[in-house]
Each structure stands twice: as C-alpha cells, then as structure tokens.
Amino acid sequence: MKFSVTVTLKKNVLDPQGKVVENTLKNLGMLNLKSIRQGKFFEIEIEEENIDIAKKKVNEMCNKLLVNLIIEDYKIDIVK
Amino acid sequence: MKFSVTVTLKKNVLDPQGKVVENTLKNLGMLNLKSIRQGKFFEIEIEEENIDIAKKKVNEMCNKLLVNLIIEDYKIDIVK
Amino acid sequence: MGINNKIIEKHGLKIEEYKVIKKLLKRDPNLLELGVFSAMWNEHCSYKSSRIHLKKLPTKGDQVIQGPGENAGVIDIGDNDAIIFKIESHNHPSFIEPYQGAATGVGGILRDVFTMGARPIALLNSIHFGSPSHPKTKSLLNGVVSGIGGYGNCIGIPTVAGETKFNDTYNDNILVNAMAVGHAEKNKIFYSKAKGINKSVVYVGSKTGRDGIHGASMASAEFDENSDEKKPTVQVGDPFTEKLLLEACLELMKDDSIIAIQDMGAAGLTSSSVEMASKGSLGIELILDKVPCREENMSPYEMMLSESQERMLIILEDGKEEHAKKIFQKWDLDFVIIGKTTDTKKLTLKYKDEIVGEIPIEALASKAPIYDRKWTKKKIPKSINIKKFKKIGLKEALIKILSSPNHSNKSWITNQYDQMVMCDTAQKSGSDAAIIRIHNKDKAIAVAVDSSANYCKSYPITGGKQIVCENWRNLITVGAKPIAITNCLNFGNPENKEVMGEFAECLEGIKEACKFLNFPVVSGNVSFYNGTNKKNIYPTPVIGGVGLIEKLSQPLSHNFKKNNSLLILIGKTFGHLEQSCYLKENFAVEDGKPPKINFINEKNNGEIVLKLIKENFVLSSHDISSGGLLVALSEMSIGSKLGAKINKPKKLVNLTEYFFGEDQSRYILEIHENSLSDVDKILKKNNIYYENIGITQDNYFEIEGEMKIDINDLFKINNQWYNNY
Amino acid sequence: MKSSVIVFPGSNCDRDIAVALQKMQFKNKMIWHKETSLPKSDLIVIPGGFSYGDYLRSGAIAGKSLIIDEVIKAANSGCLILGICNGFQILTETGMLKGTLLRNKNLKFINRNVNIRVMNNETRFTSKYKLNQVLNLNIAHNEGNYYTDSNHLDQLKKDNLIAFKYSDSSGNTDDKFNPNGAIENIAGIFNDKKNILGMMPHPERMVDELISNSDGINLFSSLLD
Ligand SMILES: Nc1ncnc2c1ncn2[C@@H]1O[C@H](COP(=O)(O)OP(=O)(O)O)[C@@H](O)[C@H]1O
Ligand SMILES: [Mg+2]
C-alpha cells in the first residue's frame, strides 16, 4: 500500500524558513499572498495489504523517526 | 483561498536523504517498508477568490521560487 | 538500431571522427561502443585540442613527485610528507543547476585527491559570474556558494580560500572551479596504473543511476537555446556518502591491498576502467550485470556512461577481496567485484552472458584524436590616452572601487563555508593566501588561487605570465616558499582561431613564468566551449599555487598589526592605468595593455621579501594587484581597523597613476620602526628598489594633504555590497 | 579522567575533539556508533559534524543508533555528557536535552567567531570560567536556532540551566548579537541535573593559540577537576 505523510511545524513554533520564503515571494510581486508554511512530505510504500495494519505501521514510522513530535504535527493519507 | 503544494524529486534523480531514511527505518525493524521518498510540502493561503486566478498565482510561485524545476516535480491541490 | 549521422552528432562526434572509429575497430561500432567512444573522445576526457600545447608546460622540479597524468599532482614537502592537489572546472553543470553543479564539482575534485591516498585538508574555489545586474546572477551566486559550502561543510574539509569575480563576459556561462589539497605520506601514494592479469576489479561507493549520462559530452558542447533540454543529465551530490567513501578508502589504504585505484569522474565507469587499463597496457573485462544499479532496467549503455557521483574503481591484490569488502561494509557502502584485468588490451563488456561491446584500449586512449587547431596571434593592443579621462579625486575613486562587487569584502560568502573544521587552519580566507598547518607538525602550507581574465583578454602572453606571478606573490606574502601550481584553463570554443590563439598564448605566458620562477605545473584541467551562440568568454586561466612554510610560528596576514610602524613599498611604480580596475570602476573602460611583467624584478623582489619575512622583520605584508597601491593599503587597514598616514609622493608624479597604477612585482610591508636600518641594508645589498611611504596610525586612513577617511567608514564602504545585493 | 567520543557516520569534528581532549590529558577512546557497549568513562562527548548527512533533521538518525541507549544509561547514572553542535542536536533528538534546533534564521550556514557569555559557572563544565565571562568561540552550523516551549524556558531560567548566551564582547545579550535566531540568545543549555551540556559553539576549536585562541581550554579543565 502507498501512503503519503505531510509533516508541518506546530502553529506556535517559529518557522524561519517559511518567513523567508514568504518575504521573498512578496518581493517577487506576490502581494496577495497571505501566508505560507513549509513542511515535509513523504511517500511511503509498504508491503502490507491490510489497511489497518499498514496504517499502524506508517504511524509507527512517524512516531519513531519521521516526525519530531515536540515541534511538528503530521497527517497520514492513503494514496492507494 | 488555501492550497497545498507537494514537491517531489523527479524519478531518476538521486535522493540521498530518502535512501538514508529508508535504511534507518529498516534498521528500526520496519522490514516491510518498500520505498520511501521525501519531498517538500507548502500550505499557501492567498487573498483571491477566483479559483483560476488563484491557482495561476500559486503555479507562478512554484515556478519562480518554490520548486527547482530541473530536479523536482510538483502538484497543486486546493484545500479550501 | 543502425547508426546514422544524427546519432553520431548527438554523441558529440564529428563524421570524420566516426570514420576513424570504424577504421580502428575494423567494423561498425554498436550503440554501446559508440557511447564509449564518445565519452573517451570528447574534449573533456581526451584533451584533443589542448594536448599539444599542454605538453610545453614545465612539469618537473626537485620537489615534484608526480606531475600531470595522474588524478592529481604530488609534491614533496620534506619528512615523508607529500601534498597532493588539483583544480577542476564544473562550469556547465553549475550554470544549469548551480547548487548541485557546484556541490558535485567539489565532490569530484576531492575524489581526485583522496584516490591518491591523501586526506584532503583544504578546499579552494574560483568562481566567476556575469554582471550583478544580469537577471540570473543573483540566484547563480546564491546557488553556487551554498553548493560549495553544502558539500565541503558536510564532508568536513575546510574551504579556506578562493576568488569571486563579476564580468558581463560570464552572463551566459559562469565559471565554477574547485581545488582540493590533501596530505599523504610520501611512501603511501596510490596511482591508477593497473598491474597484473586476472586481478579483481572492484566497484565501491554509491549505486549507479541514470544521472549525468553524457555529462562529459555536455561539458564539451556550447550552450544554445536548447540547453534546457539537457537538464535531466544533472547529477545530485551526496557529501555524506563521499565522507564514508573517503574514510573507507583511507582505511583500505593503510596496508597494501590496492594495486590501482581511480575515481569515477567524467564518463564514469568508462573512463575509469579505460584509464587504468591503458596506463598498465592491459585489458579489462567488466560483467555489467554486477554493477550496482539504483534504478530498474538500466542498460549497459546507461551503466557505462552514467556519471553518478561518489563511486570508485579499485584493482585489488589477490586474496584481499574479503578484507576490503569488510571495510566497505563497515561504512555501509556497496562493494562488488565487477570484472578482472586481462592480457587482451581490450575493454570487454559482458552482459547476460554475452559480449556486448569490445574495443581495443588504445583506440580509446592513445589513438584518440589529437588536433593541432588553427590559431591566430593576438595583436598588441593599442595604448590608450589616459589624459582624456576626466579627473576625479583620490577619495572618490577609492570609494568607488572598494564598494564595487569585485572588490567588496567577501565575508558574506566565506561565512557560509566552514573554514576551521580539522583545526589546522592557521589563516582563513581574507589574506593573500590561506595557511594550513600539517597536522601534528610545525610546518604548514600556503594556498591561493588567482585569475586575471581582463589582462588575458587584452594580451594573452602577458596575462598568462601575470597570473602565475601574482599567485607566486600571494604565497610569498604569507611567508611561504612557492613550490608548484595546478591550473584550470577556462576558454571559449577551440574551433575558433582567435580562441585557440588565446589558449596557445596564455599557455606560452604561463610556461615562461613557471620556468623562470621554478614553479612547475603538477596538475590541471581544461574547460573549452565556454560561451553561447558564438560568443566566447574572456580567456580565464585560473592558477592554484601551493607553498611551504617550514616552521610556522605566527601566521602572517595582510592586516596592520600596530600603530606607528613603518610602511615600505617594494618595487617600482610607473603608474600603469591601462586595463586597470580604476578605469573599469570609474569609467567602465576595459582597454589598453596589461601591465608588463619583468621576471628578473619579480624573482628578486619576491625572494628578498621572503627573506625579510623569514628573518622576522615583517609585521604584515600584502602584494599589490588589482586596484593598485591605494586599494592594497586600504585592505590592510580594513582588515585590522588600524589606519595609515601615507606620504604625498615627492617626485612630480601624477597621483592617480601613482596610487591606482597596477604595476607588477610590488609589495607593501609593515615593519618595526627600529628595524628600518637592517631592512634597508638587506634591500640595498640586493639592489631592491623601495620607498618609505608612510606609517600606520589609529582611526584614520589618509594621504597627507589629499584625503582622509575614518577607518570605520572605510570598513562600511567595503562591507555593504553583498549584504544589500 | 577517561573520556569517550562517539563517532557516527558523517561526524567530522571527532578528530578535533580527540586532539583537544588529549592535549588536556584526558585518556580518550573513540567509539564507533555500531558498538553496543561503552568503556567506563567519566565524560562522553558527542562531537560535531553532519551525522547521516543531516538528512531528515540534523541529529535525528544518529539519535536512533544502538550506542545511544548506552549513552542514556550512562547519563542516568551521572556520567558527564557533552554534545557540541551536531552533538547538541543529537541530544535534543533523543530527549536527553529538551527543546530543538531549527534552521538559522537567515537560512544560511554560518561559520564565524561569536562571543558568548557564561551564564552559570557553578557546574562541572564551567567552574573554571568566571560568571558572565565573555568567550570568543567559533560556530559552524545550519541549524543552531534553539527553540523550546515557554514552560521549559521558564524552567531553564528558574533553575539556572542556561549555560551560554550569544552576546557582544562586553556581555550584552541583545538580539543584535544573536547569530542564528535562538530563543533568548541561548547558545548552550544543561539538563536539570547539570551533568549534560549541549552547546552550538565549538570549544574544541579554541584550544590552540596558533590556530585561534584559548577560550575553550577552561571548559575542559573544569571537567578535569
Ligand atoms: N591545464 C593543465 N595543465 C596541466 N595538466 C593538466 C591540465 N589539464 C589537465 N591536465 C592533466 O591531465 C590529466 C587528465 O585530467 P582530467 O581529465 O581532468 O583528470 P580526471 O579524469 O582525473 O578528472 C590530469 O593528470 C591533469 O592533471
Ligand atoms: Mg580523476
């Protein structure tokens, strides 16, 4: 099964990268840009046909490595 | 309007990061992991109610700054 | 698939060259073989246009252990210590993808140095961009600088020196040259010559992907409107894997398991295997099914031509396979025996139990074409009448120069490079040369890179001489005895007679200077086809020099050390303003002749300055180059935040010419007031012309009765440009 | 004093710290990350560099290696742990120190000398410094922008767990002298038992006058006491 995971910084955590990107875009003339936040994206394929087990595995990957839970949130979606 | 943009490395481009993450997950016991690719994720909000114009703007941001078209592909989705 | 003219052309080969291939093979090549030929016969690998000129360079000397012909040059610095170094271009890839292009440039040159058994100890670079106002320049600058830093910082080798220049001529073709310097024990140097039959040929490092296929031929073709289409060949660097490869190779090199070793650089598996076989007059057989591949269904053609990074080919002694494999596995790297040496003198490629390609090694190497291309002599440029330019004040002109992109302080760049890792950087970038201590020893080497494209464009012979001399001076000023150089020759299209003339004449100048100064060339690289749509870049040879400081007690910088010391100017000032930075920055004029080089003065002045430094008379020193005396003095002041009071020259000279002229072979020395009589004696005894030009002081940089600037203002003027760009 | 330096793939300041430790008369051993036991040590150093290429998040992958469990055990039994630069990042990734290190606010790698002020000199790491003494140390990092939540920040202040703050040469800790955006100019912190120190600047680069200065020496000599 294939999953996608998006990892974003928690709301109250300062996002230096997003800030710089936002300013740069505004300087490039994107005046109606309201906000931009940057995160990570993973495409994960695992050999497991049972949705629940598969999803649990992906969740475990997020908790064990992919996400720093102190500052980041994440969301898992099924691709197929 | 709110959009999400996912940026991934083109298929034939080396992904050193993904490779290391994949090995680490396997070492952590995720044996049925088949592949993992890492990319970037942006959440963009712009002040523009016309979908077409808004989408065009986001597309422009991708081309101008967010995406390195030489090695990356991207996909825009409407969040709301 | 039949081979037609279009396919031949796509491989960067000329129809005549294809005919020669058929003759050498005594048959038509198949597509794989054509690919192998195209990789080996392109300009980048075969040096077909440059070889007859390169041959003239002086490459021998008492301290030369290995000159050109190996992965890098090797010099002897005494006590069983050897220094291994080389410079290489990555211009075309960096223009297409600046971050990855520059990063893989650094990775490639590092491999050239550690394949020979050296631990890399310093990185340098010479980068040239188009006009700052050109729409692409800013992002290219950003990308290249972060790519160089990204690779060097991650692998943990300090980037200690370099040069950054802007000129319209590079608008559509930037230059990114990277130099690596390593240290090895003299009796532990590894070469690429295969020896013995039936020895295991081992592939180590990263897996092979489809990246960079035909990179080498791309580097040998001019850009055109369609260069966008060449994009998929971009390679991605992985400094982390390179660090592992470095440590694994050095670990294996501790004993004598290796017969020959060669990095897979341009043209990857093809050039590395052919080179080893050719040097050893042997054959090599590769079983391509065994090549570790990153992607599915890679064809033999793709495997042979891929330029995936961070890979090496090793020929092992019998029975060492298991030992070597353990080391590479420890470092999580692929290790696969993919073939063996043979006595056939052929490159034999097998795939799925069939021979898919077989080519005599000499057809690929020694029988590759060599061209004596037509070239024309450069006419002596007309002098320009300096009087026709409107007079401007010294202060105004100085400010203009110090705040220009080319002369602004480069810390915006160098702060992005780790300059201190390894803890042997005794002098970082900012002075004339960086100083790297040899680990655990008292001695150190000095390293610097230089280029002067304007001078070379105007009159290539003089330009060629000048850069070698400038590089030599830069080593002298930090108290090092210059030993040898590497060079990266960045030129336009060699099929153009004028470009080929620039090449031949620059090389003539380089040759003469190296000979006279006993400063041999031990390695180098040629990059042709820099330009677009028939517009070629200025000829831009870059010289990277290495010098030795036998006992490092205190690194010598160009920053003033204390107030009230004496400033002396070594060498004669004639006031040569043609081709000067003064005219360029103030009047946008780039005409006239470059300053003359007088080898005798060059050598005498340099040797005596070195003597004064060694005898501890010198507190700080700086050579005078672009911008002339006043710019050199202000740099000494800006670095130290100490000022100076310069005398108004007594003779009836034109002040602009005196202060901004770019006459060669000159140095500024700061000396203790009470050592003047000793210094004077030494200089007089050796017939060295010098002038007392003033003293250091607090707070102000001034020329008596002419101008006065607060040194904080001077500092600001020099430090704005990058931060505001 | 016995010290151990943990070496990960991609560590690159491991030799530098070993040289400094030997110079300061530590009996030092290098420990490869795949090892599963540690020699008895009074001090464990996690050196700077780019462990695993800084991929994913700096320090994240090294934080999962086998040897880390041993380091945690040693720390719990009171062993002194020093994490420098990437070592600091690894300590936060494993939770041995709280908070995290974000990208520098200018999104660039920064290598230069900075001033830092000693905020607490009553610890095993800093006893040879004077309180509020200003040191000039070298920084070299992409991600040195320390961040933590307000509860932890309060605790750091209340319990005197801030080791160093970025400052000017006279000790002003104004935001102007903050190179990377770290919260309250924090350059290094202790855990609550003060046996673990994580810091972004490199003391091991400042033990040799010929190369730099000697401002780092007292950190090592404090440890020897
Ligand atoms: N300008 C030059 N001056 C002296 N030697 C040169 C020059 N250009 C190339 N060489 C030498 O030719 C050989 C081949 O160079 P190159 O193809 O760049 O090597 P590699 O394949 O190892 O990168 C090297 O030994 C190099 O030092
Ligand atoms: Mg090579």
Side-chain angles (χ1 to χ4, degrees):
Chain A
M1 294 199 65
K2 233 182 181 164
F3 294 86
S4 75
V5 177
T6 47
V7 180
T8 45
L9 276 181
K10 287 195 168 141
K11 276 258 163 55
N12 54 350
V13 176
L14 175 87
D15 176 14
Q17 194 145 342
K19 259 264 166 56
V20 172
V21 170
E22 187 174 323
N23 288 340
T24 314
L25 284 172
K26 283 188 177 149
N27 288 342
L28 287 174
M30 305 291 173
L31 300 175
N32 45 6
L33 174 65
K34 226 174 119 191
S35 80
I36 179 162
R37 285 183 76 80
Q38 181 169 347
K40 286 179 200 146
F41 173 82
F42 298 95
E43 209 172 70
I44 302 178
E45 202 174 338
I46 64 174
E47 269 166 359
E48 173 57 66
E49 288 317 310
N50 178 315
I51 282 207
D52 290 336
I53 301 184
K55 208 168 166 182
K56 222 166 153 184
K57 275 276 164 208
V58 174
N59 197 40
E60 202 183 330
M61 292 182 195
C62 290
N63 283 300
K64 274 200 176 163
L65 184 71
L66 302 179
V67 184
N68 180 347
L69 296 168
I70 306 170
I71 49 167
E72 293 169 333
D73 289 327
Y74 67 99
K75 194 168 134 270
I76 301 176
D77 291 301
I78 300 172
V79 178
K80 67 168 188 232
Chain B
M1 294 200 66
K2 229 179 181 171
F3 294 87
S4 75
V5 178
T6 47
V7 182
T8 46
L9 276 180
K10 287 198 169 138
K11 206 174 134 256
N12 285 338
V13 172
L14 174 73
D15 177 15
Q17 180 148 259
K19 196 176 69 186
V20 168
V21 172
E22 183 174 323
N23 287 341
T24 310
L25 285 171
K26 284 186 179 152
N27 288 341
L28 289 172
M30 307 290 172
L31 299 174
N32 45 7
L33 173 65
K34 222 173 122 192
S35 80
I36 180 162
R37 284 181 77 82
Q38 181 170 344
K40 284 183 216 144
F41 174 81
F42 297 94
E43 207 172 72
I44 301 176
E45 203 175 338
I46 63 174
E47 268 166 1
E48 173 58 67
E49 288 317 310
N50 179 317
I51 282 208
D52 289 337
I53 300 184
K55 208 166 166 183
K56 222 167 157 181
K57 275 277 165 209
V58 174
N59 198 39
E60 202 182 331
M61 292 181 195
C62 291
N63 283 300
K64 275 199 176 160
L65 184 72
L66 304 179
V67 184
N68 181 347
L69 295 168
I70 297 161
I71 51 175
E72 294 170 333
D73 288 328
Y74 67 101
K75 194 169 133 270
I76 301 175
D77 291 301
I78 300 170
V79 178
K80 68 169 187 234
Chain C
M1 183 183 8
I3 285 167
N4 55 34
N5 288 3
K6 199 163 164 222
I7 292 177
I8 294 167
E9 219 170 86
K10 261 203 153 154
H11 280 77
L13 290 162
K14 304 262 139 85
I15 303 300
E16 296 75 54
E17 291 175 333
Y18 182 71
K19 285 185 190 146
V20 181
I21 290 174
K22 286 210 299 198
K23 217 186 248 160
L24 286 168
L25 281 180
K26 302 190 186 84
R27 60 175 167 87
D28 286 348
N30 61 31
L31 192 63
L32 167 63
E33 290 165 333
L34 185 73
V36 168
F37 270 104
S38 84
M40 291 307 297
W41 280 23
N42 70 43
E43 195 60 61
H44 191 84
C45 289
S46 71
Y47 288 85
K48 58 190 169 192
S49 307
S50 57
R51 197 177 299 188
I52 61 161
H53 298 279
L54 291 177
K55 268 206 214 122
K56 300 175 191 155
L57 292 173
T59 59
K60 297 208 166 67
D62 293 345
Q63 283 170 274
V64 177
I65 296 174
Q66 174 68 53
E70 274 289 338
N71 284 307
V74 185
I75 55 171
D76 187 343
I77 56 161
D79 320 310
N80 200 32
D81 291 314
I83 294 295
I84 302 187
F85 64 103
K86 187 176 178 219
I87 190 167
E88 200 161 71
S89 65
H90 230 209
N91 305 338
H92 294 91
S94 302
F95 185 71
I96 293 177
E97 212 308 285
Y99 184 96
Q100 295 298 346
T104 50
V106 172
I109 194 63
L110 281 171
R111 283 192 295 285
D112 272 338
V113 161
F114 73 76
T115 4
M116 295 196 73
R119 177 171 287 282
I121 57 174
L123 285 165
L124 296 87
N125 60 80
S126 165
I127 49 184
H128 290 71
F129 299 94
S131 155
S133 60
H134 188 276
K136 279 194 167 158
T137 300
K138 191 171 168 180
S139 69
L140 288 169
L141 172 70
N142 254 308
V144 165
V145 169
S146 48
I148 290 173
Y151 209 98
N153 298 342
C154 181
I155 190 167
I157 294 153
T159 303
V160 297
E163 55 164 5
T164 310
K165 296 194 173 162
F166 300 90
N167 187 310
D168 295 352
T169 185
Y170 310 108
N171 276 353
D172 298 305
N173 194 121
I174 61 170
L175 303 183
V176 175
N177 294 178
M179 170 170 165
V181 184
H183 169 261
E185 284 169 30
K186 196 174 137 186
N187 58 2
K188 277 249 150 226
I189 294 167
F190 293 82
Y191 296 96
S192 57
K193 178 177 169 181
K195 271 178 251 153
I197 297 163
N198 259 326
K199 307 288 177 193
S200 298
V201 176
V202 178
Y203 171 117
V204 299
S206 284
K207 293 192 194 319
T208 298
R210 294 198 166 92
D211 16 24
I213 290 174
H214 275 161
S217 5
M218 175 179 81
S220 307
E222 285 177 72
F223 279 130
D224 52 37
E225 301 80 26
N226 298 328
S227 44
D228 279 0
E229 283 173 21
K230 292 180 179 154
K231 276 169 185 175
T233 59
V234 167
Q235 314 139 19
V236 170
D238 180 3
F240 169 60
T241 298
E242 177 115 324
K243 167 77 175 162
L244 305 183
L245 189 60
L246 161 67
E247 297 301 337
C249 286
L250 292 182
E251 198 170 321
L252 180 60
M253 285 165 168
K254 282 188 185 144
D255 59 32
D256 40 16
S257 305
I258 296 176
I259 297 175
I261 176 165
Q262 170 71 38
D263 66 296
M264 292 191 222
L269 199 47
T270 296
S271 69
S272 53
S273 53
V274 170
E275 215 151 291
M276 295 209 281
S278 153
K279 287 200 178 116
S281 302
L282 292 170
I284 210 162
E285 178 184 300
L286 301 179
I287 314 289
L288 295 175
D289 315 72
K290 297 200 171 157
V291 171
C293 289
R294 198 171 78 222
E295 287 151 46
E296 281 162 28
N297 300 325
M298 284 190 58
S299 66
Y301 180 94
E302 290 170 322
M303 290 184 223
M304 288 307 289
L305 296 184
S306 159
E307 294 196 350
S308 289
Q309 300 287 297
E310 292 93 22
R311 304 178 299 161
M312 293 266 189
L313 206 58
I314 303 178
I315 298 178
L316 282 177
E317 291 284 3
D318 293 337
K320 296 288 184 179
E321 292 84 353
E322 276 312 303
H323 164 67
K325 187 170 183 174
K326 257 197 209 129
I327 292 176
F328 284 90
Q329 279 176 346
K330 169 186 164 190
W331 293 97
D332 299 323
L333 294 166
D334 272 302
F335 174 103
V336 185
I337 299 172
I338 60 165
K340 59 178 193 217
T341 55
T342 64
D343 60 2
T344 61
K345 301 199 180 185
K346 284 181 186 162
L347 172 70
T348 308
L349 304 174
K350 290 192 176 165
Y351 186 63
K352 299 200 165 147
D353 293 325
E354 264 177 50
I355 292 183
V356 289
E358 190 160 49
I359 309 173
I361 296 282
E362 51 170 30
L364 295 169
S366 57
K367 296 230 167 111
I370 290 184
Y371 297 130
D372 185 356
R373 297 206 188 269
K374 287 212 177 67
W375 62 273
T376 51
K377 277 199 165 123
K378 187 78 147 206
K379 286 205 194 81
I380 296 180
K382 281 205 196 80
S383 272
I384 48 172
N385 180 7
I386 302 295
K387 302 227 164 59
K388 74 178 184 209
F389 299 106
K390 120 173 170 284
K391 244 186 117 140
I392 43 176
L394 294 176
K395 183 167 167 179
E396 191 189 331
L398 177 65
I399 290 176
K400 203 63 184 269
I401 295 173
L402 288 179
S403 60
S404 70
N406 278 320
H407 280 82
S408 281
N409 182 296
K410 305 290 188 304
S411 52
W412 180 89
I413 294 172
T414 53
N415 283 350
Q416 296 185 53
Y417 301 149
D418 192 341
Q419 301 201 54
M420 259 205 91
V421 62
M422 298 183 89
C423 290
D424 285 311
T425 309
Q427 182 149 286
K428 304 180 191 181
S429 58
S431 269
D432 294 322
I435 301 176
I436 309 296
R437 180 176 60 187
I438 302 304
H439 195 60
N440 267 329
K441 307 235 167 139
D442 285 341
K443 64 180 149 192
I445 54 164
V447 288
V449 287
D450 292 286
S451 66
S452 306
N454 280 2
Y455 293 169
C456 290
K457 176 72 190 166
S458 152
Y459 199 55
I461 294 196
T462 309
K465 291 179 188 170
Q466 190 275 340
I467 11 158
V468 175
C469 292
E470 180 168 348
N471 186 259
W472 143 282
R473 254 174 258 149
N474 281 328
L475 299 174
I476 299 253
T477 51
V478 303
K481 177 178 177 286
I483 299 182
I485 64 167
T486 181
N487 64 116
C488 194
L489 307 172
N490 305 281
F491 286 77
N493 185 338
E495 294 158 48
N496 169 318
K497 313 199 277 281
E498 278 88 44
V499 170
M500 205 53 217
E502 291 170 347
F503 183 81
E505 295 197 292
C506 273
L507 230 65
E508 179 63 25
I510 291 173
K511 175 194 99 181
E512 284 178 27
C514 289
K515 265 200 176 143
F516 198 92
L517 298 173
N518 188 17
F519 200 26
V521 179
V522 297
S523 60
N525 174 254
V526 179
S527 170
F528 278 130
Y529 299 99
N530 290 290
T532 25
N533 295 333
K534 310 281 171 275
K535 198 160 161 258
N536 294 294
I537 60 156
Y538 282 10
T540 315
V542 175
I543 302 292
V546 176
L548 175 65
I549 301 173
E550 268 168 25
K551 192 165 170 6
L552 180 68
S553 44
Q554 181 73 52
L556 183 63
S557 73
H558 74 204
N559 299 337
F560 289 144
K561 292 296 162 335
K562 60 176 203 61
N563 77 20
N564 253 323
S565 23
L566 299 180
L567 297 173
I568 64 173
L569 165 62
I570 305 276
K572 278 202 176 113
T573 302
F574 303 98
H576 186 99
L577 278 184
E578 297 178 35
Q579 285 298 339
S580 70
C581 161
Y582 171 83
L583 288 186
K584 183 170 178 204
E585 297 301 342
N586 291 290
F587 302 97
V589 166
E590 293 185 27
D591 292 334
K593 303 175 182 168
K596 280 208 185 73
I597 293 288
N598 177 324
F599 284 140
I600 297 176
N601 288 345
E602 190 68 57
K603 194 160 186 217
N604 290 348
N605 293 358
E607 284 176 349
I608 299 308
V609 167
L610 190 57
K611 181 179 160 76
L612 291 174
I613 293 172
K614 284 197 168 151
E615 295 183 10
N616 284 321
F617 289 115
V618 180
L619 297 172
S620 68
S621 67
H622 196 10
D623 73 307
I624 299 178
S625 59
S626 166
L629 175 61
L630 200 56
V631 168
L633 280 166
S634 25
E635 285 165 352
M636 298 175 87
S637 187
I638 289 164
S640 58
K641 296 223 178 163
L642 275 167
K645 187 178 205 162
I646 307 303
N647 315 327
K648 196 168 164 178
K650 292 197 183 65
K651 282 177 268 169
L652 275 177
V653 289
N654 173 322
L655 289 187
T656 304
E657 290 177 351
Y658 182 80
F659 283 113
F660 293 107
E662 298 186 359
D663 312 295
Q664 299 291 299
S665 321
R666 294 182 302 157
Y667 301 80
I668 303 164
L669 306 181
E670 176 192 359
I671 59 171
H672 268 293
E673 45 192 332
N674 51 17
S675 47
L676 182 63
S677 64
D678 292 332
V679 169
D680 177 77
K681 234 180 262 156
I682 295 174
L683 292 172
K684 289 234 169 85
K685 194 176 133 202
N686 290 285
N687 286 320
I688 304 293
Y689 177 86
Y690 84 97
E691 294 170 31
N692 283 303
I693 56 168
I695 56 165
T696 58
Q697 66 177 6
D698 283 331
N699 303 330
Y700 293 99
F701 183 79
E702 66 176 301
I703 301 172
E704 259 188 315
E706 286 294 326
M707 60 164 261
K708 188 168 181 176
I709 309 183
D710 186 308
I711 50 166
N712 292 313
D713 294 337
L714 200 63
F715 181 87
K716 264 189 224 138
I717 288 163
N718 192 230
N719 275 277
Q720 274 160 3
W721 188 82
Y722 279 93
N723 295 320
N724 299 339
Y725 183 48
Chain D
M1 227 15 208
K2 289 199 181 99
S3 58
S4 297
V5 173
I6 315 283
V7 184
F8 296 100
S11 293
N12 64 33
C13 302
D14 46 329
R15 188 186 80 177
D16 301 351
I17 183 77
V19 168
L21 289 167
Q22 272 145 24
K23 184 170 174 160
M24 299 300 295
Q25 311 296 326
F26 284 80
K27 286 202 185 62
N28 185 52
K29 281 212 171 98
M30 306 304 273
I31 309 296
W32 182 238
H33 73 112
K34 282 183 188 164
E35 280 171 39
T36 48
S37 71
L38 273 171
K40 209 183 131 7
S41 334
D42 309 292
L43 169 70
I44 297 171
V45 184
I46 309 190
F50 282 68
S51 59
Y52 294 94
D54 261 5
Y55 296 145
L56 190 62
R57 296 179 306 277
S58 42
I61 296 175
K64 302 297 170 213
S65 54
L66 291 174
I67 197 75
I68 284 295
D69 293 338
E70 296 303 305
V71 177
I72 293 175
K73 263 190 235 156
N76 288 339
S77 63
C79 179
L80 297 169
I81 316 279
L82 170 62
I84 302 166
C85 196
N86 190 229
F88 187 11
Q89 294 160 343
I90 293 170
L91 290 175
T92 59
E93 276 288 339
T94 57
M96 295 168 80
L97 289 174
K98 285 190 203 150
T100 188
L101 292 140
L102 303 172
R103 276 297 286 280
N104 296 341
K105 69 176 174 209
N106 69 353
L107 301 190
K108 290 191 161 57
F109 186 92
I110 305 173
N111 175 222
R112 59 183 169 93
N113 285 5
V114 296
N115 294 308
I116 58 171
R117 182 169 126 194
V118 178
M119 304 302 292
N120 178 352
N121 69 338
E122 293 176 346
T123 76
R124 287 297 310 276
F125 296 92
T126 53
S127 59
K128 286 275 164 72
Y129 291 118
K130 292 196 207 69
L131 184 64
N132 296 327
Q133 184 179 340
V134 176
L135 316 175
N136 189 248
L137 300 190
N138 193 256
I139 56 168
H141 56 245
N142 262 319
E143 274 126 355
N145 180 351
Y146 183 73
Y147 172 82
T148 195
D149 61 39
S150 54
N151 286 342
H152 180 233
L153 188 61
D154 288 342
Q155 191 208 346
L156 287 176
K157 288 192 218 166
K158 195 168 90 295
D159 298 340
N160 215 355
L161 301 178
I162 298 174
F164 308 105
K165 281 191 175 188
Y166 300 108
S167 72
D168 70 355
S169 56
S170 37
N172 290 322
T173 53
D174 191 283
D175 193 47
K176 264 198 301 209
F177 312 115
N178 186 339
N180 53 26
I183 195 164
E184 300 221 3
N185 280 35
I186 289 176
I189 59 161
F190 301 106
N191 65 333
D192 43 14
K193 288 199 300 198
K194 297 198 186 79
N195 67 322
I196 304 179
L197 168 62
M199 62 192 292
M200 289 315 297
H202 288 270
E204 81 282 13
R205 294 186 178 189
M206 310 329 250
V207 296
D208 184 344
E209 289 282 352
L210 184 65
I211 297 299
S212 51
N213 63 40
S214 50
D215 285 1
I217 285 187
N218 277 348
L219 189 130
F220 299 102
S221 56
S222 300
L223 288 163
L224 284 173
D225 266 3

